[in-house]
Amino acid sequence: MVRVSISAVLFTAAIVVQAAKKTPAIVPGAYIIEYEDNHDPNTVLNSIGADASKRMDMNYKLFKGVSIKFKDLDKAEDKAAKIADMPAVKNIWPVKLFSVPQHTVHSVGDAAGGGLSRREEADTFTPHVMTQVNQLRDKGITGKGIKIAVIDTGTDYLHPALGGCFGPGCLVSFGADLVGDAFNGSNARIPDPDPLDECNGHGSHVAGIIAAQSNNPYGIIGAAQGVTLGSYRVFGCDGDTPNDVLISAYNLAYEAGADIITASIGGPSGWSEDDWAVTVQRIVEAGVPCVVSAGNDGSEGLFYASTAANGKRVTAIASVDNTLSPALLSNATYTVNNGTNQSFGYTPGNPAKWAGVTLPLWAVNFNTADPANGCDPYPASTPDLSGYIVLIRRGTCTFVQKVTNAVNKGARYVIIYNNVAGSSAVEAVVPPVQGIAMVTADQGAEWISKLAAGSTVVVAMTDPETAPKFLVNFNNTLSPGFLSTYTSWGPTYEVDVKPQLASPGGMILSTYPRALGSYAVLSGTSMACPLTAAIYALISNVRKTKDPATIENLLSSTSNPNLFNDGRTTSPYLAPVPQQGSGLIQAYDAAYATTLLTVSSLSFNDTDHFDPVKNFSISNTGSAEVTYRLSNVGALTGYTYADDATIQPDTFPNELVPAFAGISFGPSASVTIPAGQRKIITVTATPPAGLDAKRLPVYSGYIAINGTDGSSLSLPYMGVYGSLHSVTVLNSGGTFLSSKLDTNDTAVPANRTFVLPPPGHANDTGYAGTNKTDLPKVVVELAMGSALVRVDVVPVSTCKPVNSTAILGGPGTSIGQMANSPFVYQPRGQFTAGWDGKLADGTYAPSGVYKLAVRALHIFGDAKVVGEYDATETVPFRIRYSKLGS
Ligand SMILES: *[C@@H]1O[C@H](CO)[C@@H](O)[C@H](O)[C@H]1NC(C)=O
Ligand SMILES: *[C@@H]1O[C@H](CO)[C@@H](O)[C@H](O)[C@H]1NC(C)=O
Ligand SMILES: *[C@@H]1O[C@H](CO)[C@@H](O)[C@H](O)[C@H]1NC(C)=O
Ligand SMILES: *[C@@H]1O[C@H](CO)[C@@H](O)[C@H](O)[C@H]1NC(C)=O
Ligand SMILES: *[C@@H]1O[C@H](CO)[C@@H](O)[C@H](O)[C@H]1NC(C)=O
Ligand SMILES: *[C@@H]1O[C@H](CO)[C@@H](O)[C@H](O)[C@H]1NC(C)=O
Ligand SMILES: *[C@@H]1O[C@H](CO)[C@@H](O)[C@H](O)[C@H]1NC(C)=O
Ligand SMILES: *[C@@H]1O[C@H](CO)[C@@H](O)[C@H](O)[C@H]1NC(C)=O
Ligand SMILES: *[C@@H]1O[C@H](CO)[C@@H](O)[C@H](O)[C@H]1NC(C)=O
């Protein structure tokens, strides 16, 4: 089999977005309770009584419940278990924390915009040209009359390009602040009616992508300038937000009459059963399209879908890179040999104490093609660099390493010159370095040539806080229009196709809070999602529908699937569906398509559940008969694992092979449909030949549907060749006993004695946070997601006799699961759980020697059968309880 040549190195040129490794955190003692329909909530509230404080009333049309926090955290789980058994309770979920996906802020501007005049009327904004938004705009379609709710960090609606006011008649006409500035996910919320974003920026950027008005100096145009926005602020200035706030925000937006809801928020999951995903699914089923960013964890490889994007019927949005790389540069000057001042632009990094710095440049060599400039320690002959700004070319090693080498020779200031087009904010906090900045490759080459000629180049830097900014649109020469390397890959663990659609999210210029620079260039699926929401509004205007499935099917079938690109090199084959979904959406084609499909994608499931025959129908809503030719265009097959032995999925770019499924069409690959009629098509899939099933290849492609009317549609499909049920989910090597005081999660040796707080007092002041609470802690590492992880307490020798029973009828005996166990719908990755001796039934294990047995259910496994779990045990450890007050 031919391997596609894809370089193994992730080039620094790619937009690097940090991935989260740990699973979402749980808020101790906090639960969301959903009531059964037609039951009196008071029976639940009365039973909780004074044991808990109310976090939020969640009394909505599509969700009736409450979130609470138990006062006595030690008793929280027994109480939660009792509540779960009440007939009035439909569901009870722990409160989990989510974040704004790690996105990159490349550069920020200023309100003046370098005095540039604003753009002429024609929409040449590249994210619009890429998605045909400009063609709809040319026809005067702006989303008028449509309400888009944005769930995010709020909106700086006082920004002139975001309307300048809040409330009826304003661009941002509805919404609320559910949390307050100081909220970090764990402290008290201070809600108020005003969703102003002055300190974060993410939501103001998102809002501008949808609806920025043209009164701005940088030519930014919102994709749907005619809509009204709802702003639901769910984040404070920093930190996370819990799922009860998210679920509430969605329901508030729904009840406020939002026509479309967009959220650029997520966390690792892979399970459509996740509570937040389920509540978003309900809103979609009630007729309101919900688009959610697919996530920025592309580095994790296949099977890393994010919630709520991974919900059924929820539209997950992948990111492609802009064709231009806009940069907002800060203005400064330099001289050559005391000549006249010449200006140049730079992007401040972190740190950026550049105010008043005027120093000559020094470079380690004069080679502007040096691939690893400044990566090695500098030669002994290097002068003291404290009187210079060190000029280093980007590439190969980290910025931190480059800066460290300079600092080791006394440097306090470093300017990196780029090795690709553009300029971006870089970080290298290496004390005592004071300033770091980036300039373009061209500017670097200019300076190096002067230095090589023996000239003195003196750079007069400016304070980036106050320096005038100007916009430069560099050409993206590496990844224009291709999938962003950071975009998260599906499918879900149950082979639901994710993502659905792709849209420009890499290198996007939009509005930013006035206090933070007014304009900024950001990258992430967070930026792709709101553009898609805006396009839903445009299509809704044209087609007079807001039915979620209709619009998703139209956008999916009219998208342009693109070739695979690893951030620098382009393959001759299409990128896999689990990376790009349908491909880059085409708003105009979707708005005016006269051929409609009844689905947006097909999943043939895995080998165990192979479901090769699928039906869908083609409707010809045009005015003349059309003959459609159906054909199959394969995309690259992605191997989940690097080899037969590893249990950890391979990281991006994982091996991709041009192995394509066969698709046959019934009744025929050519179908003639009269005007106004529909026909059912049957497709039958044959997985690609020659694949190694143990490495869990995910194959995919597109059914091309070409009509004699000139229409050309594509329907993405996907399947897994191999058995998800047989993959190892528990990484036994990464699952072990640690101790609660060890924040590094290292393993403790066998037979350690833990002196536990008296039963029921683990969270008392005097125990919590002191050495007295050095509880045993189990570290669980899942190589793949598991719908159920249980931790049983296995007696080795105990002071008092204990009743122990076989775990799930299999080998090994247990006195019960530890409190908090089982853990449901876990993503892959690591989680930890401390143990204060309490069991899931609320009793405490007597003093003695124990092991913890960890069992993780296989994907598609039967939870009642012991053989369906991967299992491991910790080393033995001893527990005894201290006396109260000791
Ligand atoms: C940059 O600074 C130079 C010199 O001070 C000035 O002539 C030029 O107009 C400035 N450009 C911008 C965009 O502010
Ligand atoms: C620049 O001017 C300063 C002060 O007048 C002088 O000391 C220095 O030698 C000059 N440098 C060059 C390269 O001409
Ligand atoms: C970008 O590419 C276009 C077309 O090749 C060219 O005209 C333009 O000068 C380039 N822009 C920059 C900033 O390099
Ligand atoms: C794959 O099959 C399993 C078992 O029947 C089912 O639970 C799952 O939903 C299927 N996935 C899809 C995408 O149909
Ligand atoms: C269908 O149309 C696309 C786009 O025009 C074209 O690339 C492809 O070759 C066509 N396929 C067939 C089978 O005609
Ligand atoms: C964690 O590891 C770091 C680096 O090895 C060390 O400095 C720190 O003391 C460790 N912390 C604990 C709680 O062991
Ligand atoms: C732990 O204690 C048990 C029983 O006393 C003993 O058999 C075992 O060797 C000990 N393990 C270690 C690593 O000390
Ligand atoms: C309370 O104690 C349990 C262990 O019993 C622990 O998991 C939890 O994090 C503690 N909560 C707080 C707020 O310290
Ligand atoms: C915890 O133990 C360490 C070492 O035994 C000691 O230095 C420290 O003061 C103790 N801390 C508390 C809060 O008791």
Side-chain angles (χ1 to χ4, degrees):
M1 177 154 301
V2 191
R3 272 214 193 189
V4 184
S5 150
I6 291 158
S7 61
V9 188
L10 250 186
F11 293 96
T12 47
I15 296 154
V16 180
V17 181
Q18 227 182 348
K21 288 283 187 298
K22 298 215 173 175
T23 64
I26 303 256
V27 179
Y31 294 88
I32 300 170
I33 298 168
E34 184 180 12
Y35 306 136
E36 274 298 354
D37 302 333
N38 310 319
H39 270 269
D40 181 2
N42 286 324
T43 59
V44 180
L45 292 174
N46 292 342
S47 135
I48 298 167
D51 290 347
S53 55
K54 197 184 282 180
R55 286 170 57 89
M56 301 185 87
D57 265 319
M58 300 170 74
N59 191 20
Y60 304 108
K61 283 187 200 134
L62 297 181
F63 189 102
K64 295 200 177 359
V66 66
S67 69
I68 56 164
K69 181 164 182 177
F70 287 104
K71 290 174 183 156
D72 183 347
L73 295 179
D74 286 312
K75 302 210 172 73
E77 296 133 39
D78 334 331
K79 288 183 177 154
K82 282 179 193 123
I83 291 167
D85 288 340
M86 297 178 67
V89 171
K90 189 192 252 175
N91 285 304
I92 176 159
W93 297 291
V95 172
K96 284 177 289 186
L97 294 177
F98 291 89
S99 57
V100 173
Q102 286 288 334
H103 57 284
T104 305
V105 180
H106 299 282
S107 55
V108 295
D110 61 9
L116 297 184
S117 61
R118 71 189 224 208
R119 199 182 290 261
E120 65 283 8
E121 264 317 288
D123 183 354
T124 56
F125 199 52
T126 48
H128 296 182
V129 175
M130 294 168 75
T131 54
Q132 302 180 328
V133 164
N134 60 329
Q135 296 181 41
L136 290 175
R137 188 178 159 82
D138 290 348
K139 294 183 76 115
I141 294 150
T142 60
K144 204 165 173 44
I146 305 289
K147 294 203 259 178
I148 300 183
V150 180
I151 297 175
D152 209 297
T153 66
T155 310
D156 183 5
Y157 53 75
L158 293 174
H159 192 300
L162 294 175
C165 60
F166 173 60
C170 299
L171 175 59
V172 183
S173 68
F174 63 108
D177 179 355
L178 278 67
V179 293
D181 278 2
F183 185 64
N184 62 18
S186 306
N187 54 358
R189 294 183 307 117
I190 305 173
D192 67 69
D194 179 358
L196 189 65
D197 170 24
E198 291 186 293
C199 55
N200 187 303
H202 188 267
S204 299
H205 198 268
V206 161
I209 289 169
I210 300 172
Q213 304 297 297
S214 300
N215 56 336
N216 68 81
Y218 294 119
I220 298 164
I221 302 175
Q225 287 184 330
V227 300
T228 54
L229 292 175
S231 178
Y232 292 87
R233 185 180 190 218
V234 294
F235 291 94
C237 293
D238 293 298
D240 300 327
T241 197
N243 49 347
D244 53 354
V245 171
L246 289 167
I247 290 170
S248 296
Y250 265 92
N251 281 285
L252 286 170
Y254 171 73
E255 292 187 8
D259 298 302
I260 297 158
I261 304 176
T262 181
S264 295
I265 308 172
S269 170
W271 298 102
S272 62
E273 295 86 349
D274 170 79
D275 46 275
W276 175 29
V278 167
T279 56
V280 178
Q281 178 186 343
R282 266 183 220 167
I283 292 175
V284 180
E285 284 167 352
V288 176
C290 292
V291 292
V292 182
S293 55
N296 298 340
D297 290 325
S299 61
E300 299 288 326
L302 281 153
F303 291 100
Y304 209 74
S306 150
T307 194
N310 62 16
K312 291 188 189 284
R313 298 176 210 274
V314 179
T315 307
I317 311 300
S319 168
V320 304
D321 286 348
N322 195 346
T323 52
L324 290 182
S325 295
L328 292 158
L329 302 184
S330 297
N331 201 5
T333 58
Y334 68 97
T335 60
V336 178
N337 293 336
N338 290 342
T340 53
N341 277 348
Q342 305 184 51
S343 67
F344 73 100
Y346 71 95
T347 314
N350 177 26
K353 295 201 189 82
W354 284 112
V357 174
T358 298
L359 290 172
L361 291 177
W362 183 89
V364 67
N365 65 33
F366 302 140
N367 177 5
T368 54
D370 185 358
N373 194 232
C375 288
D376 294 326
Y378 294 0
S381 57
T382 304
D384 172 14
L385 297 178
S386 61
Y388 293 94
I389 295 172
V390 180
L391 183 63
I392 312 171
R393 183 169 190 257
R394 180 180 186 179
T396 305
C397 62
T398 62
F399 296 119
V400 167
Q401 188 176 336
K402 287 175 194 268
V403 171
T404 301
N405 289 333
V407 162
N408 287 343
K409 291 294 180 182
R412 296 290 175 270
Y413 300 98
V414 173
I415 293 179
I416 306 278
Y417 64 100
N418 217 340
N419 58 355
V420 293
S423 180
S424 192
V426 297
E427 177 165 315
V429 181
V430 183
V433 88
Q434 298 294 300
I436 164 162
M438 186 179 272
V439 296
T440 63
D442 287 351
Q443 186 61 57
E446 166 82 19
W447 284 340
I448 290 288
S449 75
K450 296 289 189 290
L451 295 176
S455 301
T456 299
V457 179
V458 174
V459 173
M461 291 296 283
T462 44
D463 182 353
E465 296 281 318
T466 53
K469 303 291 189 295
F470 60 99
L471 173 67
V472 184
N473 277 310
F474 298 99
N475 292 320
N476 175 358
T477 52
L478 296 176
S479 58
F482 295 106
L483 274 290
S484 307
T485 56
Y486 57 72
T487 200
S488 290
W489 292 49
T492 68
Y493 294 118
E494 294 166 323
V495 207
D496 299 302
V497 174
K498 291 288 164 187
Q500 269 60 51
L501 310 171
S503 159
M507 289 290 186
I508 305 298
L509 172 64
S510 183
T511 48
Y512 218 45
R514 290 156 302 138
L516 301 177
S518 295
Y519 303 94
V521 179
L522 269 60
S523 283
T525 53
S526 290
M527 284 65 242
C529 187
L531 180 56
T532 308
I535 288 171
Y536 266 68
L538 303 179
I539 293 172
S540 189
N541 269 178
V542 174
R543 302 195 76 106
K544 313 280 180 246
T545 179
K546 47 175 202 173
D547 177 58
T550 302
I551 301 178
E552 183 182 286
N553 297 346
L554 280 163
L555 278 169
S556 180
S557 64
T558 54
S559 293
N560 286 339
N562 209 344
L563 303 177
F564 180 74
N565 172 291
D566 65 1
R568 178 167 280 230
T569 314
T570 304
S571 149
Y573 299 104
L574 290 175
V577 169
Q579 185 192 27
Q580 70 169 332
S582 66
L584 182 58
I585 54 177
Q586 299 295 300
Y588 187 93
D589 292 349
Y592 293 102
T594 54
T595 303
L596 275 72
L597 310 184
T598 45
V599 291
S600 65
S601 62
L602 304 174
S603 169
F604 300 121
N605 221 321
D606 71 348
T607 305
D608 296 338
H609 310 98
F610 188 43
D611 186 12
V613 182
K614 296 275 180 188
N615 290 332
F616 66 93
S617 67
I618 305 179
S619 298
N620 173 11
T621 67
S623 52
E625 178 179 280
V626 178
T627 298
Y628 298 95
R629 217 189 108 65
L630 283 80
S631 58
N632 171 32
V633 186
L636 287 166
T637 289
Y639 273 114
T640 304
Y641 300 109
D643 53 54
D644 279 3
T646 42
I647 59 166
Q648 211 76 46
D650 201 8
T651 53
F652 180 91
N654 44 324
E655 188 183 339
L656 300 171
V657 294
F660 309 126
I663 304 279
S664 63
F665 302 97
S668 145
S670 174
V671 50
T672 300
I673 307 181
Q677 292 194 24
R678 60 175 6 211
K679 280 203 175 148
I680 294 174
I681 307 294
T682 301
V683 299
T684 307
T686 316
L691 295 175
D692 178 355
K694 285 212 188 90
R695 293 177 57 200
L696 208 64
V698 180
Y699 61 88
S700 60
Y702 299 85
I703 293 166
I705 303 165
N706 291 12
T708 46
D709 61 344
S711 62
S712 117
L713 304 181
S714 55
L715 173 64
Y717 66 82
M718 197 195 70
V720 175
Y721 184 67
S723 165
L724 274 160
H725 178 251
S726 28
V727 305
T728 301
V729 291
L730 182 65
N731 177 359
S732 304
T735 300
F736 50 81
L737 185 75
S738 181
S739 71
K740 195 182 172 200
L741 290 183
D742 179 3
T743 47
N744 291 338
D745 298 340
T746 48
V748 301
N751 298 340
R752 174 178 289 197
T753 297
F754 291 91
V755 181
L756 306 181
H761 292 273
N763 294 97
D764 293 4
T765 1
Y767 294 104
T770 71
N771 288 0
K772 286 178 184 168
T773 59
D774 194 10
L775 308 178
K777 176 175 74 180
V778 63
V779 177
V780 179
E781 172 81 27
L782 294 178
M784 276 294 232
S786 175
L788 196 150
V789 179
R790 53 183 288 156
V791 181
D792 278 273
V793 178
V794 174
V796 177
S797 65
T798 54
C799 305
K800 285 192 277 181
V802 288
N803 285 333
S804 59
T805 53
I807 304 173
L808 294 156
T813 60
S814 151
I815 59 169
Q817 295 181 59
M818 65 177 265
N820 286 318
S821 177
F823 304 87
V824 298
Y825 298 115
Q826 292 292 319
R828 68 178 198 248
Q830 190 191 72
F831 71 92
T832 64
W835 188 50
D836 66 351
K838 191 168 54 158
L839 304 173
D841 67 3
T843 63
Y844 278 77
S847 298
V849 179
Y850 295 93
K851 295 186 282 192
L852 296 174
V854 180
R855 280 179 170 66
L857 183 63
H858 280 199
I859 296 166
F860 297 136
D862 178 348
K864 293 188 280 304
V865 179
V866 67
E868 300 275 301
Y869 291 78
D870 289 332
T872 191
E873 277 184 354
T874 67
V875 294
F877 57 95
R878 181 179 296 278
I879 59 166
R880 61 186 172 80
Y881 297 93
S882 58
K883 291 214 167 60
L884 200 52
S886 67

